[in-house]
């Protein structure tokens, strides 16, 4: 499918780094075999005869990355958002996730999730499924078919969970191993990621086993970290020998270093934990809307940026209600401003440039050379039509992008390319 | 236009009070001459023969109220949101507002604003124009034509403003008086509201004159209060004899009591100011998104609710980016949770019931008997189609409404009725 050479012409925007959005007005980005050959104001001679699809003055940006999303929770997004994390898990999340033991239910629900995810600007996603390996495989099939580059996790949980969501440790590890072997080389776009739910639901034995699987199969890991104060206190109770929540993963080799790791939330990390995040090159999935909805708090993202910690954005559906990473960008700015205004004015608010970086290159880095349209990156492009967001006043390309970040939705996603292939 | 009698059938939701959303599934609300005659599970005999428009399982709710929106700022919504209030006013707001001296520009810009406002679920709006009386009249014409029940303010400002937006005090009062006389009995849906911009831009003489106009014509007043800490310090400097910002209006009879008053923001009110808000029955326009975008802070809305202070919601475009009052409801909940989690856990978060009340009955009360579909209210109804928000799981009517609050947009507004007349 990748033997192709063509250009897309339009107003191209991409992150030039944390503090810069670069613009190529009436530029052309060249795709060869699924890889960008660069962005050109005028096509050089060697590309003179290639087909160019001209999107005129529409915006072309790299595909976005959702670093943290729970597929089975999509069915109850935006409902009963009046609870905090632990209560919400028990009242809504666990009963819903238990239903994914039925393959027929999983098929209906995951089909809907993937269909809606595909419509938006997200090209890469790190996805939690449930503990049901069969349902996780169904989800992987749908994502593969939709050409959404994804890391999908069969969830592991063997304690402090309702009976119908509590795995036997040995069986959990055996199921996980089988699922890894069945899926790790099966797909073009989808691969497995180890997914201990979070420390409160994972015994040491389970984590030890997952650590062994990690080293055997060189898989990445995703989990939750320091989201909610009550949760953190609970972890401290469960793991009195660790000095921070992160160490509870780190003991078993599940916290960065040789093990590529996404930790969602990181709202209340201690100094020691922040140092460990940096040292182990863990990627933080910042989920501002979820942190608001579940009254978790406001993550010190400016601090992470200053410390050089890797940060991307997550929708965290259904702690977050919306699959849109544009909305996550806007909310990351907004939450950083609330934090600045009300908690700590030493950490200045995030800029649009910074959150655009996080939603493209920042999160994309976890998936390889993705998240930009610059030469050498995977050719994942989203064409945006902002016809419904026009002003009486003429906007610059960067202003148009900013308006889409604050106000856009899937109506604005006109076309989407993954590794050079046009999805719609 | 109001000699009519008919029913709308569907799943009817309305606020039964601050803590309750009432549901009439497959109910019919009867409209007679623009007024609701009540909601009926089965139509009584006296209405047996009236025409009933059956929206089947779609949701029917009262029209929403936007208590604070700046029409001329719509053209630069969602742009350069990296500044705080005073800087943002000087960099973006004032230069744009100065353009409304040109009637042709005002026509183009206000037409777009009203067109977009009409598409959404908002039926009532308290609107700031600019200081230009002619442009304010253009805005009023568009709103009248669109049948949006509105209070429109020609803005007054005679100090601390750029040259092209600084009125001569005498001329300001004369212009305002003429504009009031020309518009106060002209329209069915639109009427004037006195609009001193805020204390820093209004001299005592101007405020005194506006107070006199208020008493002469019995007009309501709208302005800004205690939005931003720097602004409050500035007011303190300008009015050293007042003990709080609110008193700076109150000195001239422009702060509730006999003068129906909307004060936008109220983020940092002192104890004394909160007491005055209650005593004078001032309506607070809570604008959560604007307060985030301009890093103003998080208003203690729970406190206002507890004190029995009147509270409605405002989009505050362009401090807020979106005209949607659904979004303002969701953000009011979210900001209250952040406040609870990070500032003061004595003030518990707002509930969906409470914000739905604020966006319907709460804000509506400023416009008369509006904001409900119960008997005796103006018949302002919005029909919502949530086809794109459906779940694999069956939702209750209240859950469907909650999802629209978090995720809906103008695509979900299928039909809109104002005083019984169908707009679309």
């Amino acid at each position: 499918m990748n033997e192709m050479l063509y250009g897309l012409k339009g107003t191209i925007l991409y992150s030039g780094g944390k503090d810069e959005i670069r613009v190529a007005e009436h530029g052309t980005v060249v795709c060869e075999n699924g890889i960008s050959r660069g962005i050109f104001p005028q096509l050089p001679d060697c590309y003179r005869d290639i087909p160019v699809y001209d999107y005129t003055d529409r915006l072309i940006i790299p595909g976005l990355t959702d670093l943290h999303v729970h597929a089975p929770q999509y069915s109850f997004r935006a409902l009963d958002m009046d609870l905090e994390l632990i209560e919400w898990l028990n009242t809504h999340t666990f009963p819903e996730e238990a239903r994914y033991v039925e393959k027929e239910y999983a098929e209906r629900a995951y089909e809907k999730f993937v269909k809606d995810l595909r419509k938006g600007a997200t090209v890469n996603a790190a996805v939690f499924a449930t503990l049901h390996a069969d349902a996780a495989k169904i989800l992987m099939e749908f994502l593969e078919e939709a050409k959404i580059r994804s890391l999908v996790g069969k969830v592991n949980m063997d304690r402090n969970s309702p009976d119908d969501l509590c795995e036997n440790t040995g069986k959990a590890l055996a199921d996980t191993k089988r699922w890894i072997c069945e899926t790790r080389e099966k797909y073009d776009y989808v691969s497995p990621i180890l997914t201990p739910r979070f420390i409160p639901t994972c015994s040491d034995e389970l984590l030890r086993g997952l650590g062994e699987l990690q080293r055997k199969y060189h898989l990445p890991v995703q989990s939750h970290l320091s989201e909610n104060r009550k949760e953190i206190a609970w972890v401290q109770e469960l793991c009195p020998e660790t000095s921070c929540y992160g160490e509870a993963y780190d003991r078993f080799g599940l916290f960065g270093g040789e093990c590529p790791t996404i930790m969602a939330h990181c709202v209340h990390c201690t100094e020691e934990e922040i140092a460990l995040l940096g040292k182990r090159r863990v990627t933080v999935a910042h989920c501002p809307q979820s942190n608001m909805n579940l009254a978790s708090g406001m993550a010190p993202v400016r601090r992470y940026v200053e410390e050089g910690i890797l940060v991307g954005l997550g929708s965290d559906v259904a702690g977050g209600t919306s699959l849109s990473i544009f909305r996550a960008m806007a909310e990351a700015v907004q939450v950083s401003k609330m934090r600045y205004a009300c908690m700590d004015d030493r950490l200045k608010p995030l800029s649009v440039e910074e959150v655009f970086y996080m939603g493209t290159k920042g999160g994309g880095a976890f998936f390889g050379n993705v998240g930009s349209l610059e030469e050498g990156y995977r050719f994942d492009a989203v064409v945006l039509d902002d016809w419904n967001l026009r002003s009486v006043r003429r906007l610059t390309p960067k202003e148009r992008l900013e308006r889409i970040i604050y106000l856009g939705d899937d109506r604005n996603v006109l076309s989407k390319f993954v590794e050079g292939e046009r999805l719609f």
Side-chain angles (χ1 to χ4, degrees), chain A:
Chain A
M1 76 172 208
N2 287 333
E3 290 168 29
M4 42 183 159
L5 180 61
Y6 65 84
L8 296 188
K9 189 171 177 183
T11 295
I12 300 167
L13 295 118
Y14 58 98
S15 176
K18 288 193 178 72
D19 294 318
E20 189 190 6
I21 294 174
R22 288 197 189 146
V23 181
E25 243 178 310
H26 312 298
T28 302
V29 55
V30 172
C31 172
E32 186 171 15
N33 299 338
I35 304 291
S36 169
R37 292 296 165 217
I39 298 160
F40 305 94
Q42 299 291 333
L43 278 185
D45 278 355
C46 59
Y47 296 132
R48 203 178 41 196
D49 298 325
I50 68 172
V52 172
Y53 303 98
D54 190 347
Y55 285 101
T56 61
D57 75 336
R58 296 196 180 86
L59 306 183
I60 302 173
I61 65 165
L64 307 185
T65 294
D66 187 344
L67 273 188
H68 187 62
V69 55
H70 292 264
Q73 298 177 15
Y74 189 62
S75 59
F76 66 90
R77 70 196 184 282
L79 300 185
D80 291 300
M81 304 248 58
D82 291 341
L83 302 171
E84 275 191 64
L85 177 65
I86 305 295
E87 294 81 358
W88 180 79
L89 288 174
N90 289 320
T91 312
H92 292 286
T93 309
F94 292 152
E96 179 70 14
E97 291 198 8
R99 300 196 61 175
Y100 287 73
V101 67
E102 299 167 41
K103 283 165 76 169
E104 189 274 335
Y105 187 80
E107 261 167 34
R108 281 196 298 139
Y110 284 150
E111 183 177 18
K112 172 84 175 126
F113 165 76
V114 173
K115 192 176 149 207
D116 286 358
L117 185 62
R118 186 173 180 274
K119 279 186 211 160
T122 296
V123 159
N124 307 295
V127 189
F128 277 56
T130 62
L131 60 79
H132 312 94
D134 285 342
K137 284 186 279 183
I138 290 167
L139 174 59
M140 293 168 103
E141 295 288 339
F142 280 121
L143 287 163
E144 173 73 8
E145 201 183 330
K147 298 191 169 66
I148 297 168
R149 192 179 295 114
S150 355
L151 292 161
V152 174
K154 171 217 162 325
V155 168
N156 288 113
M157 47 204 294
D158 71 341
R159 66 174 177 181
N160 296 318
S161 306
D163 289 346
D164 51 359
L165 281 182
C166 199
E167 301 180 285
N168 165 285
T169 310
K171 186 171 179 310
L173 291 168
D175 283 357
T176 303
K177 184 174 175 182
R178 190 178 323 112
W179 164 74
I180 293 168
C181 294
E182 283 169 7
T183 60
R184 73 191 172 116
E185 288 174 342
K186 186 171 181 188
Y187 304 112
D188 289 326
Y189 297 96
V190 183
S191 51
I193 181 168
L194 290 169
T195 306
R197 183 170 206 117
F198 68 153
I199 294 296
T201 64
C202 298
S203 69
D204 286 5
E205 192 186 342
L206 179 60
L207 293 171
R208 189 173 297 111
L210 292 174
E212 284 161 12
L213 288 173
Q214 195 283 321
R215 287 180 290 282
K216 185 172 170 75
Y217 297 107
H218 306 289
L219 293 186
V221 169
Q222 63 182 351
S223 196
H224 298 90
L225 186 72
S226 298
E227 175 175 4
N228 171 294
R229 291 193 191 280
K230 284 186 207 161
E231 169 214 18
I232 295 167
W234 192 11
V235 170
Q236 189 55 47
E237 220 174 89
L238 291 165
C239 310
E241 75 288 5
T242 60
S243 61
C244 68
Y245 193 158
E247 200 193 323
Y249 297 107
D250 196 43
R251 292 174 299 165
F252 302 106
L254 296 167
F255 200 74
E258 295 298 300
C259 165
T261 301
I262 298 169
M263 283 288 155
H265 304 304
C266 305
V267 176
H268 305 285
C269 295
T270 59
E271 286 300 315
E272 187 179 353
E273 194 160 82
I274 293 173
L276 200 60
L277 284 169
K279 189 172 157 199
R280 293 278 193 273
R281 306 287 291 158
V282 168
T283 297
V284 172
H286 175 43
C287 306
Q289 196 191 110
S290 170
N291 299 160
M292 289 197 274
N293 288 335
L294 299 177
S296 304
M298 307 194 273
V301 181
R302 162 67 55 219
R303 176 80 196 281
Y304 300 152
V305 171
E306 282 171 359
E307 303 269 339
I309 291 168
L310 307 168
V311 185
L313 298 172
S315 68
D316 193 25
V317 160
T321 63
S322 166
L323 286 173
S324 168
I325 293 300
F326 287 130
R327 197 148 166 179
M329 291 180 196
E331 288 159 344
V333 174
Q334 289 167 335
V335 167
S336 75
K337 286 175 178 170
M338 288 294 91
R339 201 180 192 289
Y340 166 79
C342 303
M343 277 182 74
D344 182 359
D345 64 6
R346 290 166 308 177
L347 298 186
K348 75 179 173 58
L350 298 174
S351 66
V352 168
E353 285 79 0
E354 287 172 316
V355 295
F356 185 65
Y357 175 86
M358 289 174 196
T360 57
K361 274 185 175 168
F366 202 82
F367 292 79
N369 215 14
V370 305
S372 183
L373 292 166
E374 293 159 289
E375 190 180 355
Y377 278 80
R378 302 280 184 107
F379 191 91
D380 304 331
V382 173
V383 183
L384 299 169
D385 188 342
D386 55 355
W387 93 101
N388 64 333
L389 300 174
R390 294 287 168 85
S391 265
V392 64
R393 123 176 169 178
R394 199 177 151 71
L395 304 181
T396 66
K398 205 205 115 190
E399 287 176 330
R400 290 170 63 195
L401 177 63
E402 188 176 1
R403 187 169 282 177
I404 289 171
I405 287 172
Y406 277 93
L407 293 171
D409 55 49
D410 52 28
R411 279 176 288 190
N412 302 110
V413 180
L414 178 70
S415 202
K416 198 164 155 179
F417 296 76
V418 175
E419 298 196 18
E421 194 167 350
R422 188 167 181 266
L423 302 195
F424 55 82

